[in-house]
Amino acid sequence: MSNTIDNLLHEARRFPPTEEFAAQAIADAGLYERAAADRLGFWADQSRELLHWHTPFTRTLDWSEPPFAKWFDDGELNVAFNCLDRHVLAGNGDRVAIHWEGEPGDTRTITYAELTAEVKKAANLLTSLGIRAGDRVAIYLPMIPEAVVAMLAVARIGAIHSVVFGGFSAESLRSRIDDAEAKLVITADGGWRKGRVFPLKDAVDAALTGDATSVEHVLVVKRGENEVAWTEGRDLWWHDELALVDADHVAKAFPAEQPLFILYTSGTTGKPKGILHTSGGYLTQAAFTHKNVFDLHPESDVYWCSADVGWITGHTYVVYGPLANGATQVMYEGTPETPHPGRWWELIEKYGVSIFYTAPTAIRSFMKLGRQHPQKFDLSSLRVLGSVGEPINPEAWMWYREVIGGDTTPIVDTWWQTETGAIMISGLPGVTTLKPGSAQVPLPGISVDILDEAGTPVGKDQGGLLVVTEPWPSMLRGIWGDPDRFRETYWSKFGDKYFAGDGARYDKDGDIWLLGRVDDVMNVSGHRLSTAEIESALVAHPFTAEAAVVGAADETTGQAVVAFVIIKQNQLEQTEALDVAAELRKHVAEQIGAIARPRDIFIVSELPKTRSGKIMRRLLRDVAEGREVGDTTTLADTAVMSSIQAKLS
Ligand code: ATP
Ligand code: MG
C-alpha cells in the first residue's frame, strides 16, 4: 500500500511496561534471544516444559514435504490428560477450572478434579457409542461447561471434533457435518440468549432430515428445558447415558500428529474452509502463547476470554491454552447486554477477573453505548487486556485502556487466524513498549515478513502482504479433504512461505500494522488504500461509533471509497440537523489526504458481521456496486443487509 499510515500514528502515546509489572512478568526479553539463537531448539524446550509427553519426542520438525509439516512427530501424548489429569496429579485438583455463569444468572463452579471426572465419563460414553480414534464428532452447543467436556472427551479418545457455532442455521450445520462425515452430534435442547431460550435440537433435527447422513447418534444435553422432538434409537440424553458408564478412564497416548479438530473459518471473505489441526504442536503453541502473551500466573489469576467455543479463539483460549496451563477462568453463556448493558463488567467485578481477552467489535459496541455502564462496576482487578479478530483502531485501544483498564493495564493486540492455531504477532506485556493500533512484533519462535507482489521483502515504512516465513508448531495441517485448496490458498503465491491473506505495513520502528484483508484493499486512481486506515480515521471523529469502508467500481478513479458509518448513540440528536456525510468526508481528507476522501458515506444503524463479529465488507461492496448480495450464510443477522439496502435506495 503506497499510502502512509501516518493517520494511524496520530495517536502518539506509548506505553512501556511499568517496573512493577516487568518485575513480576512471566516472559522477559531473554525469550527472544533464545528463540533467535536456536528456533527449533526453543520450541522443543517449550514443548517439554509446558506439556506432559507419554513418549518423549526426539525430532522437532519434519518439513521434508512442504506444505505438510510434522512437529514432534515421534512423540506421544494425550491432549486431555495434559489439560486435566496432570493438574490433579500435581495436587491442584481443588483449583477452580471454570467459573461458569448462565445468562439467567445460574452458576456452576467446576474444579480441575470435577472437570477431569466428567471428561472421563464422557470419554467412556463416546467409546460405548462406537466412536474410535480418528472418527469425527460434531459439537453444536451453547456456551455451557458441557461444550468443554465434550471437546476434551473427544480429544481424550483420539477422535476429531468439529465444533459448529450454536448460532448457525440447520443448513450450515448440515454442510459441516457432511464435509467432515461426522458419526455423532453432541447438542443441547436449547441455550439462553438475549433473555430467551433458543432451540438447538430443532436445528439438528432439520439438518439430519432428507438425504441419508453419516450421523448415527445425537447426544442431547439438557439446558433450555424446552420441548424437543425425539428420534428413538438415534437420540440420547447426555445425562441419562453418563449415569450408565464407568467413572474411570485411563488416557491413552496418541502420536503428536494425531488430528485434534477441524474448524471452519469465519467465512468473512468467502466459503468457510475446514481447517485441520493436530495435537502436540498445537497444544505447545496454545500453552506457550496463553502463558506468555497474557502473563498468566495460574495460581492467582482469573482469566476470561469472551469468545464462543465455536471460533478458533474459543478453542485455543477458552479450552486448550488455559486448561493446559491450569488456569482458573470465567465462562459466560449469554450476550453482553442481557439483562443490562453492564453484564460483562458486572462479571469482571464478581469474579475478580484479572486478564480479559475480547474483540474490537465488542469494544466498539461498548464505546457506542457509553462509558457510564462500565463505570458502575469495580474493574480494578484487571491487569492485562487483550484484543483479537480485527485491527483495533487506536481510538478503541485508548478507550479500552482508559475505561476498562483504569489507564494502567497493558493491552496486547494479538494477530492470528484459524489457520495459525495460536497467536503469532503480539507484544509481550512485561517486555514490549505498547503502541495503540499496532500488533507490533512476531512472538519469539515465529518468523513473519511483509512482501511485495513479487515476493521481495519490503523495508521499514513500507507495506505489502503478510507472510509467515518458517513453519510454526500450531500451523494448520491442511484443509479437510481438500489438499489442492490448501496448496492453492496459502502456498501458491510465495512457495514455501505461508500467505496469510492480510495486508500489513512496517512503521519507521519496524513494528507491524495490520491493514485489512488483501481481498478488501482498494485501488483509487492507482493508489492502494487500506480499509483499516480509513475506518480508523472515521472512528476517530467524535460522531462515529463504527465504520466500514469498501472500494466500489468507479468510472473515473477505477475504484472509489464508499463508507458505511454508524453514529454514536449520544451524538444522534446533535447530528440531526447537520450534513454528517459532508463533515466526515472532510475529516477523512484532512486526516489522510484527498485521495482517501469517501465518494459516498451512508449513515446506517448496523453493519453486516459474521457470527464472530467481523465486518463482511464483500457484502457492502455488492451493495455499493448495485449487485445482488453474495453468500450470506455466515452473517449474524440477515435482516441487516435489507435495512442497509433500504437506506441506499
Ligand atoms: P475467512 O478466512 O473464511 O474469510 P476469517 O479470516 O474472518 O474468515 P478467522 O480465521 O476467524 O476467519 O480470522 C482471521 C483473520 O482475522 C485474520 O486473517 C485477520 O484478517 C483478522 N485478524 C485477527 N486478529 C487480528 C488483529 N489483531 N489485527 C488485525 N486483524 C486481525
Ligand atoms: Mg481468513
Side-chain angles (χ1 to χ4, degrees), residues 22 84 97 102 105 167 241 246 250 282 288 292 369 442 444 458 463-464 492 526 569 581 593:
L84 301 165
E241 299 301 313
D246 238 21
V250 178
Y282 171 78
F288 170 79
N292 289 288
L369 294 172
V458 305
S492 59
Q569 232 138 41

Side-chain angles (χ1 to χ4, degrees), residues 185-196:
V185 180
I186 306 178
T187 188
D189 48 359
W192 284 87
R193 215 186 121 76
K194 296 191 177 167
R196 284 200 313 263

Side-chain angles (χ1 to χ4, degrees), residues 265-266 268-269 273 417-419 490 500 502 517:
T265 55
S266 313
T268 309
T269 49
K273 305 170 273 285
Q417 312 175 297
T418 309
E419 294 88 338
Y490 308 105
D502 285 350
R517 291 140 196 288

Side-chain angles (χ1 to χ4, degrees), residues 118-128 153 156-157 242 249:
E118 278 296 291
V119 171
K120 285 181 175 180
K121 281 195 288 176
N124 284 327
L125 170 54
L126 297 183
T127 306
S128 78
R156 193 174 181 92
I157 62 170
L242 277 186
H249 182 273

